[in-house]
Amino acid sequence: MINRDLTNIVINKLHKGKAIVLIGPRQVGKTTLINALLADKTYLFLDGDDHSVSELLSNANTEQLRSIVGNYKYIFIDEAQRIPNVGLKLKIIVDQIKDVQVIVSGSSAFDINNITQEPLTGRKFEYQLFPVSWNEFEQNVGYVKAHQQLELRMLYGMYPDVINNFGNEYEILKNLVSSYLYKDILALAGIRKSDILDKILQALALQIGSEVSYNEIAQLVGVDKNTVNTYIDLLEKSFVVFRLNSFSKNIRNEIKANKKIYFYDTGVRNMVIGNFNALALRQDKGALWENFMIAERMKHLSYAQSLAKPFFWRTTTQQEVDYIETNADAVSAFEFKWSSTKKAKLPKSFIEAYNPSFRVVNQENFRDFLK
């Protein structure tokens, strides 16, 4: 089992009078993490995917909930978004059954937030669990082995099952993608046309590192711009992709509205386009490295509970910076180069406007970027 950074964070929030909500895509280890931190405790496990459990909880009043909870001090509700009115039931437990710690997991931000947000306002600690982070991976296998597997991790990604089943990565990713990318998302939104989703995903996968034009994707796929936006929104809320907004503050010709879109896991991205060629044979290794690093940085910022905000920067004259973080008044700029021999410098206009710190992130120094 790979130790997860989020475990101690969650442990420190136990019995603080609030529910703990853990969200993230299927197969990243949410259930494993919660079972591990409750391993030495007696707890009630309720599976939201079990229809009888879902029906029992959704219809329970306060006294019935007390009976269900009984003498347990911990309750773990898995896939809570499957249970109608679960937010109201959780509110009752938090407010009325004071000595019980409720822990909830869900694989859809779209569902879990809609269901729990209003009833649990001020009554929950919410955390997102990602595929295994580089720091977690390195701590598990050691510095040398992690370094040896850097290219493999860029190609096949960081899902626990992928990491733990060396030699079977392709088969596991294929099943993972067909399961949660398609079945879950299509069911989530009541969408039947998986071919549209497939085309949009492929378009996004081929554009990592570049600004995404919803109009261009709409023309390519043969749907309208609003449909593209709806699908991308679902992909983001299902933890498949995330958007990076453009940074704009001082310079007249800065691009203000465009976005870049990255995949949370590069193995998923490579499965979408069906390309697991070695880096030496790839035309997209620079974009792949950029996606891998930014996704890893998102994990780090989340687990560190950082207030830093991520952006990219570009002007209408094609001056650009791969990645920017703002924290209070400080601006940090980063360029990603797979080769440690490649140099980069910031545009003069960006330096004059923002006085940023600057670092080139390559395969030799990337660990500093992820700490």
Side-chain angles (χ1 to χ4, degrees):
M1 177 181 154
I2 298 172
N3 294 322
R4 308 304 299 268
D5 290 344
L6 203 54
T7 302
N8 288 333
I9 296 174
V10 174
I11 287 174
N12 289 332
K13 296 299 183 182
L14 293 174
H15 295 295
K16 302 293 185 183
K18 297 185 180 183
I20 293 172
V21 180
L22 186 62
I23 60 174
R26 290 182 182 270
Q27 303 299 312
V28 293
K30 299 186 301 296
T31 303
T32 302
L33 185 155
I34 295 171
N35 283 333
L37 67 88
L38 295 177
D40 61 344
K41 300 172 176 62
T42 301
Y43 64 96
L44 175 63
F45 174 70
L46 298 170
D47 185 359
D49 279 331
D50 185 323
H51 178 71
S52 62
V53 170
S54 175
E55 188 174 19
L56 177 66
L57 286 179
S58 64
N59 295 321
N61 58 34
T62 301
E63 291 308 310
Q64 289 170 328
L65 285 173
R66 289 185 187 276
S67 296
I68 292 169
V69 171
N71 294 321
Y72 288 102
K73 300 301 181 184
Y74 297 89
I75 303 174
F76 171 24
I77 305 177
D78 200 14
E79 297 299 340
Q81 77 275 2
R82 307 287 190 193
I83 302 170
N85 302 314
V86 71
L88 292 173
K89 307 306 175 183
L90 293 172
K91 177 180 181 294
I92 291 171
I93 294 173
V94 171
D95 288 349
Q96 303 296 328
I97 312 177
K98 297 289 187 179
D99 56 346
V100 173
Q101 176 62 65
V102 182
I103 303 176
V104 174
S105 77
S107 59
S108 164
F110 182 80
D111 275 346
I112 200 73
N113 285 339
N114 284 345
I115 291 170
T116 66
Q117 194 160 22
E118 186 173 339
L120 287 185
T121 299
R123 297 178 175 87
K124 66 176 178 177
F125 296 115
E126 182 173 303
Y127 303 100
Q128 182 173 343
L129 186 66
F130 300 89
V132 175
S133 73
W134 182 265
N135 287 329
E136 291 167 338
F137 176 64
E138 189 174 288
Q139 288 170 13
N140 183 68
V141 304
Y143 175 90
V144 174
K145 190 172 181 179
H147 181 76
Q148 292 171 338
Q149 289 194 33
L150 177 57
E151 181 171 337
L152 282 177
R153 301 281 59 87
M154 288 173 62
L155 293 178
Y156 293 108
M158 302 292 279
Y159 271 82
D161 272 357
V162 173
I163 291 172
N164 289 329
N165 289 277
F166 187 80
N168 295 312
E169 295 94 343
Y170 180 86
E171 182 179 356
I172 291 170
L173 276 170
K174 185 176 181 180
N175 291 333
L176 184 68
V177 169
S178 62
S179 172
Y180 94 80
L181 278 191
Y182 294 97
K183 186 170 70 175
D184 278 4
I185 295 173
L186 295 176
L188 177 68
I191 297 170
R192 296 183 178 181
K193 295 183 178 180
S194 61
D195 58 326
I196 295 176
L197 177 62
D198 188 49
K199 290 177 181 177
I200 291 174
L201 270 170
Q202 289 190 27
L204 295 176
L206 292 170
Q207 293 184 44
I208 57 171
S210 303
E211 292 169 62
V212 172
S213 168
Y214 287 15
N215 285 326
E216 289 181 10
I217 294 177
Q219 293 174 9
L220 180 67
V221 176
V223 296
D224 60 65
K225 179 182 176 181
N226 290 335
T227 299
V228 171
N229 184 67
T230 297
Y231 274 79
I232 292 177
D233 190 49
L234 286 172
L235 288 167
E236 189 166 24
K237 289 175 178 176
S238 298
F239 311 109
V240 179
V241 301
F242 61 94
R243 309 182 214 203
L244 208 61
N245 293 322
S246 56
F247 179 70
S248 174
K249 192 174 180 182
N250 292 328
I251 303 173
R252 179 177 297 178
N253 66 344
E254 287 175 326
I255 292 172
K256 296 177 174 61
N258 287 10
K259 303 178 186 298
K260 288 185 178 183
I261 295 179
Y262 297 94
F263 282 70
Y264 276 112
D265 189 76
T266 51
V268 169
R269 182 264 178 180
N270 290 333
M271 177 56 70
V272 167
I273 62 173
N275 184 356
F276 291 97
N277 289 337
L279 293 187
L281 304 175
R282 301 181 74 109
Q283 298 296 316
D284 64 348
K285 63 184 175 185
L288 194 61
W289 176 242
E290 181 177 323
N291 192 144
F292 186 72
M293 281 293 95
I294 293 178
E296 288 301 316
R297 184 68 175 179
M298 293 301 104
K299 299 172 189 178
H300 167 72
L301 293 179
S302 178
Y303 293 157
Q305 299 177 292
S306 172
L307 296 177
K309 296 181 179 179
F311 302 92
F312 75 96
W313 182 83
R314 187 167 293 170
T315 68
T316 55
T317 57
Q318 303 305 306
Q319 293 180 309
E320 62 180 296
V321 179
D322 288 341
Y323 179 73
I324 292 167
E325 279 180 7
T326 62
N327 198 340
D329 293 329
V331 177
S332 302
F334 304 88
E335 285 285 316
F336 302 103
K337 302 293 182 184
W338 171 246
S339 172
S340 57
T341 62
K342 287 193 174 181
K343 307 299 181 183
K345 62 180 182 179
L346 292 177
K348 182 179 179 181
S349 58
F350 185 81
I351 295 173
E352 292 175 346
Y354 302 115
N355 189 30
S357 63
F358 176 57
R359 188 189 310 171
V360 178
V361 180
N362 56 48
Q363 58 182 303
E364 300 299 327
N365 66 10
F366 74 93
R367 288 170 180 81
D368 294 335
F369 177 62
L370 302 181
K371 295 181 179 178

